[in-house]
Amino acid sequence: MDDRLFRNAMGSFATGVTVITTEVSGEVHGMTANAFMSISLNPKLIAVSIGERARMLEHIKEAKQFAVNILTSNQVNESKQFSGQLNLEEEITFSTFKGLPVLPNSLAVVTCKLHSEYVAGDHTIFIGQVTGVKLEQHDPLLYSQGKYRELKELQD
C-alpha cells in the first residue's frame, strides 16, 4: 500500500491538537501532536505517540514526566510553532501546573508521570499516569485532511 494513501486516510480522522511539554535541565521542550488518547479511568492513564526521529522522544524519557496541552481554536500559532511550521519572533511564555511547563489558556491541560513506554513501528507510545487536570471553557482546535479546523454546531 502506498505511504501517501495511508497518510491521507489517517488524516481524514478529525482530531484535536495538542502540544506535549516537558522540562529537562531547566529547559522547556514542546512538540505538537495529535496522536493522543485516554487509556484508563482507574488508574487514570493517557497515551501519546511520538516518532523515533522526534527530539521530544529523548526529552520525555529523561524527564519521566510531561504535560498534554489541548489547544483552543485561538492557539493555531502555538501549534505551528511547536510543529516547526512557524518561527515566532516573540518567545512563548509558559505557566507552571503540577511542576510542569504548560501553555496558558489551553482548553485543557493533563499532567503525567511516565508510567510505561512501548515501541510500535517507528513510534514510541508513552503511557502517562495522570497527576493533574485543568479545564477551561474555550472552543477546541481541530485538525483534519491537512488543515486546521474549528468546531461548528450542526443544524437540527
Side-chain angles (χ1 to χ4, degrees):
M1 147 186 3
D2 177 66
D3 286 351
R4 176 50 45 198
L5 176 64
F6 180 73
R7 285 183 69 130
N8 288 347
M10 295 303 101
S12 295
F13 183 67
T15 66
V17 182
T18 72
V19 170
I20 311 301
T21 52
T22 195
E23 188 172 350
V24 177
S25 301
E27 188 175 343
V28 176
H29 302 278
M31 180 191 112
T32 300
N34 64 353
F36 158 74
M37 66 183 213
S38 156
I39 297 290
S40 169
L41 189 57
N42 188 18
K44 291 172 182 53
L45 301 173
I46 59 94
V48 295
S49 178
I50 299 183
E52 65 185 15
R53 295 186 312 213
R55 292 184 299 261
M56 193 61 154
L57 188 74
E58 292 306 318
H59 297 318
I60 290 177
K61 287 182 178 187
E62 186 174 341
K64 300 199 180 328
Q65 61 179 349
F66 59 93
V68 179
N69 302 266
I70 301 172
L71 301 187
T72 72
S73 59
N74 294 325
Q75 292 178 304
V76 172
N77 282 347
E78 287 87 338
S79 173
K80 288 181 176 182
Q81 175 75 14
F82 289 103
S83 68
Q85 299 176 51
L86 184 65
N87 190 4
L88 294 176
E89 289 186 18
E90 74 261 6
E91 192 170 309
I92 300 255
T93 303
F94 294 92
S95 56
T96 302
F97 181 63
K98 300 291 184 179
L100 285 162
V102 298
L103 291 171
N105 304 314
S106 294
L107 176 63
V109 172
V110 180
T111 58
C112 301
K113 65 180 180 179
L114 186 57
H115 177 276
S116 51
E117 60 186 82
Y118 303 93
V119 175
D122 60 2
H123 279 61
T124 296
I125 300 166
F126 290 103
I127 307 295
Q129 183 165 353
V130 176
T131 58
V133 172
K134 181 167 65 166
L135 183 62
E136 296 187 20
Q137 292 299 315
H138 300 290
D139 288 330
L141 179 61
L142 303 178
Y143 197 78
S144 178
Q145 298 175 335
K147 296 179 184 173
Y148 291 99
R149 315 257 181 182
E150 291 186 42
L151 190 62
K152 179 179 147 187
E153 296 291 331
L154 295 174
Q155 301 298 321
D156 288 336

